[in-house]
Structure formats: C-alpha cells, structure tokens
C-alpha cells in the first residue's frame, strides 16, 4: 500500500450543517449559513467541490434547520458536479456525533472510510493526502490538525511523531501543544459502533476513547485554515483564501483600474471611475460600486450598491443593501439583506438586521434591530 496512489473509489462524506448560524447573524437571518457566499460561492460548495475532486460520490448533509432552501439551491450544483447529495434530517439537535449514527446505514454500506467535516471550515482541503495517510497507519480514524497562534482558546491535540494521538486537552492554560482539531476527519465504518443515536459530542465522547485504544491519528494541515463562522473570522478567512488564490490561480483575481492587492470581482459587478478597491475585497454578482469609492477588507454580497465617495473597511454588506454617498463604515460592520444606509453617515461596528433603514450614525458597535 505504501507509496501507491490510494484507491479513492466510491467514497462518502458527511458534512455537519445542523446549526442555526447564530454567530454569523444578521446574514443567517436571510439564508442558512452553508449558503452564505464566501468568495462568491456558497460556503458549503467549497467543501463539496474539494470532496468531489478527491473521488467522493455521495455527500450526506446532516441538517436540522431550513433544509428545504438548502435542498433547492444545492441540488442543481450537485448535479453539475456529478455528486449525489443525501439530506439527513435531525428532529432534535444531535451534536457532532449523533448525526453519524443517524446516517449509519449510508456510511456503512461499504468498507471504505468516510470523511466527516464541520461546515464552517475554509482551507486548502487535503482530502487525497488524508486518505493516503489514513490507509497507511491502518487504524480507525484520522483527525486533521492545524497550528494556531493562541492554543488557549481551543482544545489542543497531543500526539507522537508518527501521529498517534495520546490525549486532548481543553483550553490549556500553559503550553502543551499549538495543534488543534481542524474539524475534518476520516473514519472507518467500525467507528459507528461507538456512537449512539442521541445528542453526542464526537470531540468529547468518541475521540478520547479511540485515542485511549490507540486507534486515532493526527495529520498536520499545511497551508491556511479558518473557521469562518463569525464575521471577523469570515473576513480573515477571505484574506487567507485570496492570498492562496494569488499563489494557485492568479488568473481568477481582478486586475482592473483602481485595484490594490488581492481582489475577487464577479464578472457581472460594475465598478465606477476613480475607485480604490482592495486589498482583500470580494464583490459579488450584480454589485454596483459608484465613482470615487474606497473599499478594503470587505465582502460585498449579490446586488448590493455602494454609492459614490463612500469609504468601507472591514465590512460585510448583505444582498441588495444600499450604502449611501459619502458614508464611512468600518470595524466589522455587517449589514443584513436589503439594508439602506442614508448618505453621509458613519457606522462603527454596527450589525444591522435585514430590511432596516439607518438614518443616523452608529458611533459604537451594536446590534440594530
């Protein structure tokens, strides 16, 4: 087996998309988080495309919330990619392990290992390497781990030089390791025997026992990684993603007038004259940026309009929203769908719920109902 290209035949994957997306409000009040566009593509499609590329033919989406909208929007995309999407509906939230028990019949229909992913992760998905690594050590499961600056915010993973995991330490106060669980796993179907059909945490109630039995390995992720489930991290993740695009597929980035650094512009977006766009900006389909606008470190979603001479830094502008003339917005301001910001206002870290009109400045970060 060693050294050969692994046989990635009929592989399956399960993506955990059950949450309410509360951390990414107000965007998730209009559409389920997996459908919110990250770099002009529904978040979930980044993962599904990477799985298909690695030979996955069936993807189970573990859903509990607003599944109809997901089914409608994703089934066409899946057809184009030639992958079968199966929606597994939870009637009660089952945590991170329960959904595997619910989809047990599908996941164990072959002896091939299957992937499990959290839906908020953006990185250079290493699925082919993961299969290789997993089949080489021959144990029950492999977790992808990533290096972080501040391990005390996370649970860390402790393992030996071969990758065999010894233990997990929750939010360590002193340094033991800077490697954390990256929210991507490959597991043999035998793992399903360890999981009951009830609300269960795979991180706390399954992995520690597998590690104790010497059945769990860690594979280190190279390249960037981000959990983009909240606005600030969403924007950081976008910066990392655009940097990676610059290295891997620079032709996809925009190079028009007024562009600074890494900028992604949908072909249907329109940019006026005398603008400064970038670094780290994504403009979605149908976006209109009028003359003399400055935008940096922002995502502007489909059909939003930024009127002339406005200045935006560190913002997410929701679908169909309108930002007036001479507006200044900054500090992780997030506009929900169809929000209207009147001319000449200052918005500092406002989170504005859908369909609102803002007629006076927001001096301090707050949620605007």
């Amino acid at each position: 087996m060693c050294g050969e290209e692994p046989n990635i035949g009929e592989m399956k994957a399960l993506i955990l998309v059950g949450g309410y997306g509360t951390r990414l409000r107000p965007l998730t009040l209009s559409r389920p988080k997996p459908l919110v566009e990250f770099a002009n593509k529904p978040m979930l499609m980044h993962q599904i495309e990477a799985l298909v590329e690695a030979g996955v033919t069936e993807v189970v989406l573990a859903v509990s919330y607003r599944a109809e909208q997901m089914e409608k929007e994703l089934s066409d995309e899946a057809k184009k990619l030639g992958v079968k999407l199966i929606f597994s509906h939870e009637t009660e939230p089952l945590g991170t392990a329960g959904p595997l028990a619910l989809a047990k019949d599908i996941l164990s229909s072959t002896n091939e290992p299957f992937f499990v992913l959290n839906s908020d992760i953006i990185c250079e998905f290493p699925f082919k390497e993961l299969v290789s690594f997993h089949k080489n050590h021959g144990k029950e499961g492999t977790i992808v781990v990533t290096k972080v600056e501040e391990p005390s915010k996370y649970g860390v993973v402790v393992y030996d030089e071969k990758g065999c995991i010894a233990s997990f330490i929750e939010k360590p106060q002193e340094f033991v390791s800077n490697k954390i669980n990256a929210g991507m796993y490959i597991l043999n179907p035998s793992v399903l025997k360890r999981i009951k059909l009830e609300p269960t945490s795979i991180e706390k109630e399954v992995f520690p026992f597998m590690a104790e039995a010497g059945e769990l390995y860690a594979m280190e992720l190279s390249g960037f990684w981000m959990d983009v489930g909240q606005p600030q991290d969403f924007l950081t993740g976008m910066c990392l993603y655009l940097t990676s695009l610059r290295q891997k597929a620079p032709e996809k980035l925009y190079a028009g007038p007024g562009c600074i650094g890494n900028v992604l512009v949908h072909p249907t977006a329109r940019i006026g004259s005398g603008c400064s766009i970038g670094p780290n900006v994504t403009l979605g389909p149908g976006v209109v940026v009028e003359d003399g606008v400055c935008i940096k470190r922002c995502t502007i979603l489909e059909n939003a309009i930024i009127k002339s001479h406005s200045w935006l830094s560190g913002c997410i502008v929701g679908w169909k929203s309108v930002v007036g003339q001479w507006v200044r917005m900054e500090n992780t301001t997030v506009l929900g769908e169809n929000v209207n910001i009147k001319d000449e206002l200052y918005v500092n870290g406002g989170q504005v719920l859908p369909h609102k009109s803002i007629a006076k400045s927001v001096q301090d970060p707050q949620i605007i109902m």
Side-chain angles (χ1 to χ4, degrees):
M1 178 67 219
C2 240
E4 285 174 37
E5 184 65 13
N7 169 28
I8 314 185
E10 305 282 301
M11 284 193 77
K12 298 177 170 59
L14 179 137
I15 306 179
L16 298 160
V17 287
Y20 290 107
T22 45
R23 297 181 306 155
L24 202 54
R25 281 183 185 158
L27 300 172
T28 46
L29 296 170
S30 297
R31 50 195 307 166
K33 183 173 57 183
L35 296 181
V36 172
E37 297 88 350
F38 176 90
N40 286 347
K41 191 186 291 177
M43 227 182 263
L44 198 60
M45 289 310 299
H46 288 271
Q47 299 171 333
I48 292 174
E49 285 177 8
L51 287 165
V52 168
E53 208 174 298
V56 167
T57 53
E58 278 181 41
V59 176
V60 179
L61 298 178
V63 290
S64 60
Y65 166 70
R66 286 165 69 181
E68 303 71 35
Q69 199 177 348
M70 273 194 260
E71 292 195 34
K72 208 168 82 206
E73 294 202 23
L74 293 171
S75 44
D76 293 348
E77 293 295 326
K79 273 202 193 80
K80 279 185 226 160
L81 291 169
V83 62
K84 182 176 175 190
L85 285 189
I86 300 165
F87 287 82
S88 174
H89 295 263
E90 304 172 14
T91 48
E92 55 162 344
L94 290 170
T96 48
L100 279 71
L102 190 60
K104 184 178 177 176
D105 294 349
I106 301 163
L107 298 174
S108 59
S109 63
T110 68
N111 290 328
E112 283 296 310
F114 55 86
F115 296 106
V116 178
L117 319 181
N118 292 345
S119 66
D120 300 354
I121 304 304
I122 288 291
C123 65
E124 290 163 13
F125 297 104
F127 297 133
K128 287 179 180 162
E129 298 81 17
L130 186 53
V131 176
S132 244
F133 179 86
H134 179 75
K135 293 200 166 176
N136 278 338
H137 67 64
K139 299 295 185 188
E140 230 176 359
T142 306
I143 294 180
V144 177
V145 296
T146 184
K147 192 159 86 184
V148 289
E149 296 300 318
E150 284 180 66
S152 62
K153 291 194 338 204
Y154 303 91
V156 301
V157 185
V158 181
Y159 51 92
D160 68 15
E161 67 287 348
K162 288 202 175 90
C164 185
I165 294 175
S167 64
F168 297 89
I169 297 166
E170 205 38 59
K171 300 189 173 153
Q173 287 320 292
E174 51 212 54
F175 186 87
V176 270
S177 156
N178 58 0
K179 304 293 196 309
I180 66 159
N181 176 346
M184 293 178 278
Y185 323 120
I186 185 168
L187 306 170
N188 293 348
S190 59
V191 168
L192 296 165
K193 295 191 180 85
R194 299 176 178 271
I195 303 170
K196 293 193 184 87
L197 182 50
E198 58 189 32
T200 318
S201 158
I202 199 164
E203 298 85 356
K204 299 192 171 102
E205 299 173 74
V206 180
F207 288 161
F209 296 101
M210 290 172 69
E212 223 168 88
E215 287 290 339
L216 194 58
Y217 274 64
M219 184 185 98
E220 292 178 18
L221 181 67
S222 58
F224 76 98
W225 175 91
M226 201 71 211
D227 172 339
V228 295
Q230 48 196 3
Q232 206 163 352
D233 296 340
F234 184 97
L235 290 170
T236 302
M238 175 195 66
C239 300
L240 295 168
Y241 178 83
L242 294 180
T243 302
S244 151
L245 214 51
R246 166 74 64 202
Q247 293 154 359
K248 298 230 161 32
E251 69 284 355
K252 291 184 177 167
L253 293 170
Y254 179 73
C259 169
I260 301 164
N262 300 331
V263 176
L264 188 63
V265 176
H266 192 272
T268 59
R270 300 205 310 276
I271 300 171
S273 62
C275 290
S276 165
I277 309 288
N280 300 311
V281 168
T282 300
L283 303 181
V287 164
V288 175
V289 176
E290 293 185 355
D291 299 349
V293 167
C294 174
I295 306 179
K296 45 191 175 182
R297 197 184 166 91
C298 290
T299 286
I300 315 292
L301 293 166
E302 189 167 358
N303 294 333
I305 298 171
I306 314 296
K307 294 199 166 170
S308 54
H309 307 292
S310 283
W311 187 97
L312 279 69
S313 172
C315 302
I316 304 174
V317 176
W319 312 270
K320 305 201 259 314
S321 286
V322 178
V323 174
Q325 299 180 326
W326 297 100
V327 166
R328 182 180 175 108
M329 285 198 334
E330 61 187 334
N331 192 18
T332 323
T333 287
V334 185
L335 307 184
E337 181 180 17
N338 185 28
V339 166
N340 189 3
I341 307 286
K342 302 285 192 218
D343 296 351
E344 299 179 31
L345 297 182
Y346 172 55
V347 185
N348 174 26
Q351 309 226 332
V352 187
L353 271 65
H355 314 296
K356 293 277 163 247
S357 190
I358 301 295
K360 57 179 206 278
S361 288
V362 179
Q363 302 290 349
D364 301 304
Q366 57 185 279
I367 294 170
I368 298 151
M369 323 279 278

